[in-house]
Amino acid sequence: MSTGAGQEEPGHDLGTWSFERLRAMAVNEHGSHLEAVRIVAQERAYFSDGPADARRQWAKLSLLANRRAHGDSPEDQTRAATQDFMLRMWVIDHLGPDDDDPDWSPDTLASDTLDALRLTPSQAGALAGGRRESAIEQIRELRWHKNLTAHLAGLAGHLEPGPTRDLLLAWVEVRPRLP
């Protein structure tokens, strides 16, 4: 679409939109169409050659869009949390942790992850051992836990020894047995 001044309007190609325009969309709207904003912002965080602060801003925008894109169902909430945790872990690993910002704090990420889990490592391990006889809902729950814990091996390396780190390592140990 032409603006009449010889320039093309970005239209629906969100990859051409500015940070401010994408942020306005993420702030003012809800729903699954924000998935496109999440992806564009995440790609710019991952692949930009800009300074770390700018890449963190893009990652924040991706988190905002992700948190506003999903519904309230357990499946939607699990998907949102998994995407959230993985991006936060990537930022901590590649741009460095920041204990002044809860999104980039390893301790906060550990707490948020453990809060999202509905089973303990021993419960998940016991259920995984008998999964051939398990109902599809139970297998789905175990799969969600596997997805929600994908980043824990890396995260444990950012934590001081203690009960939280020990619990993460227990999840790391049981995770390969989950469907």
Side-chain angles (χ1 to χ4, degrees):
M1 169 194 304
S2 177
T3 63
Q7 296 180 352
E8 292 293 310
E9 171 105 350
H12 287 90
D13 182 5
L14 299 184
T16 65
W17 287 22
S18 68
F19 178 87
E20 293 78 17
R21 189 169 179 194
L22 288 168
R23 187 172 190 297
M25 183 178 182
V27 166
N28 293 313
E29 298 185 29
H30 290 283
S32 61
H33 62 282
L34 289 178
E35 178 69 6
V37 174
R38 181 193 73 79
I39 291 169
V40 167
Q42 183 172 308
E43 286 177 350
R44 290 186 182 168
Y46 285 171
F47 300 114
S48 169
D49 58 359
D53 287 346
R55 296 174 76 186
R56 285 179 199 269
Q57 284 183 328
W58 281 110
K60 281 276 192 191
L61 177 56
S62 182
L63 291 174
L64 174 65
N66 182 56
R67 292 167 182 167
R68 296 176 60 87
H70 297 282
D72 293 331
S73 74
E75 184 175 5
D76 281 346
Q77 290 300 301
T78 300
R79 184 178 303 115
T82 299
Q83 290 169 342
D84 186 286
F85 299 160
M86 294 303 291
L87 178 56
R88 290 167 64 189
M89 187 70 242
W90 183 90
V91 168
I92 289 167
D93 275 343
H94 291 87
L95 303 177
D98 180 354
D99 289 330
D100 293 331
D101 185 325
D103 286 330
W104 318 136
S105 164
D107 290 325
T108 303
L109 179 54
S111 177
D112 291 348
T113 303
L114 294 173
D115 288 346
L117 301 173
R118 295 178 279 273
L119 300 171
T120 66
S122 59
Q123 289 170 326
L127 291 171
R131 73 174 182 242
R132 293 193 195 284
E133 302 83 34
S134 299
I136 190 73
E137 294 81 15
Q138 193 171 56
I139 294 170
R140 184 180 305 121
E141 179 82 10
L142 291 172
R143 185 67 187 168
W144 288 345
H145 278 70
K146 186 170 191 170
N147 293 341
L148 287 166
T149 58
H151 63 288
L152 293 186
L155 181 58
H158 289 279
L159 300 177
E160 295 294 323
T164 300
R165 185 172 185 270
D166 292 346
L167 189 51
L168 297 186
L169 292 173
W171 272 109
V172 169
E173 187 177 311
V174 77
R175 190 173 181 276
R177 299 193 328 249
L178 301 179

